[in-house]
Amino acid sequence: MIILVDGFRFDYVSRDKTLKGFPRIAKSGVRAEYVKPIFPPNSYPNWYSIVTGLYGESHGMFQNYMFDRTRNDLFLMSPHPNASHSHWWDKSEPIWITAEKNGVKAALYLWDGCQVLIRGRKPTVCVEYKSLYESNIAINETKRYVDKILDDFSHDKYRLALLYYEFVDYAGLSFFYYYYSFSH
């Protein structure tokens, strides 16, 4: 299971003792010490680097907003429908496509790109990305997905799961914009 918590600093777990679940997960699995962002340090290029192992110039997702002159197509982050055009995603193969090609079923929850036909394939399960900007809704829905993933793992429904959690990034950016709009 890969859990991507957008906006989550590498030291939050060691600083905040209320985050008891993360050490428990790391104890029975693995965790990254840190993730060093690629340039530019924006969401889509970095998420795609995590799941492809490639830099932006190789996987083609080099910005959150892009324009393709040959197709006259603008990439705007989801939930915009242009984010689902396969040509944005097809320059490389994310881990869930590699897994599916090798008979390993994959399930993705709120992970943008799972809805896209990449190299002729999609994951076994795809719960498309949607913004969860209310903390109690984001927390409850994420807990529900984690429970479902663990239950499905125990019933061998799939062997790879990816979950995206956006609320930390949203809260941090909201604070940043609020703070700087009133303090300067």
Side-chain angles (χ1 to χ4, degrees):
M1 177 173 16
I2 298 171
I3 303 172
L4 188 134
V5 182
D6 198 359
F8 197 87
R9 283 176 43 117
F10 73 96
D11 63 347
Y12 280 175
V13 172
S14 61
R15 287 179 14 178
D16 187 340
K17 300 306 175 196
T18 63
L19 298 171
K20 293 177 173 50
F22 286 100
R24 284 180 48 205
I25 291 170
K27 192 175 189 177
S28 17
V30 296
R31 73 178 191 93
E33 276 299 309
Y34 61 91
V35 177
K36 188 175 182 180
I38 65 163
F39 184 82
N42 294 325
S43 299
Y44 276 72
N46 279 276
W47 299 336
Y48 219 46
S49 286
I50 290 168
V51 297
T52 63
L54 302 170
Y55 288 106
E57 64 268 15
S58 297
H59 62 57
M61 192 67 64
F62 52 86
Q63 195 47 272
N64 287 342
Y65 305 96
M66 301 176 285
F67 182 72
D68 183 331
R69 269 189 246 177
T70 59
R71 290 183 173 86
N72 195 31
D73 192 18
L74 183 64
F75 178 89
L76 300 169
M77 296 188 302
S78 278
H80 195 280
N82 285 13
S84 294
H85 295 170
S86 63
H87 69 89
W88 298 114
W89 304 88
D90 238 1
K91 291 180 180 68
S92 62
E93 188 174 284
I95 191 172
W96 65 87
I97 299 300
T98 305
E100 293 282 348
K101 283 172 54 178
N102 288 285
V104 176
K105 293 180 180 178
L108 283 74
Y109 293 87
L110 306 176
W111 199 289
D112 197 25
C114 74
Q115 77 283 3
V116 179
L117 191 66
I118 300 172
R119 298 189 175 182
R121 294 186 181 266
K122 287 186 180 182
T124 300
V125 175
C126 171
V127 175
E128 290 187 33
Y129 166 80
K130 63 182 174 187
S131 297
L132 299 173
Y133 292 147
E134 291 184 43
S135 66
N136 59 337
I137 293 171
I139 290 166
N140 291 333
E141 190 154 338
T142 302
K143 282 181 182 178
R144 188 170 55 85
Y145 288 138
V146 168
D147 288 343
K148 178 162 181 34
I149 290 167
L150 294 174
D151 187 52
D152 287 350
F153 274 167
S154 70
H155 291 97
D156 207 27
K157 290 187 178 178
Y158 42 80
R159 292 181 35 218
L160 172 66
L162 285 76
L163 172 65
Y164 173 67
Y165 183 72
E166 176 178 35
F167 188 75
V168 175
D169 185 59
Y170 170 75
L173 288 172
S174 295
F175 174 79
F176 174 81
Y177 291 128
Y178 175 82
Y179 176 78
Y180 280 99
S181 67
F182 289 107
S183 66
H184 291 92

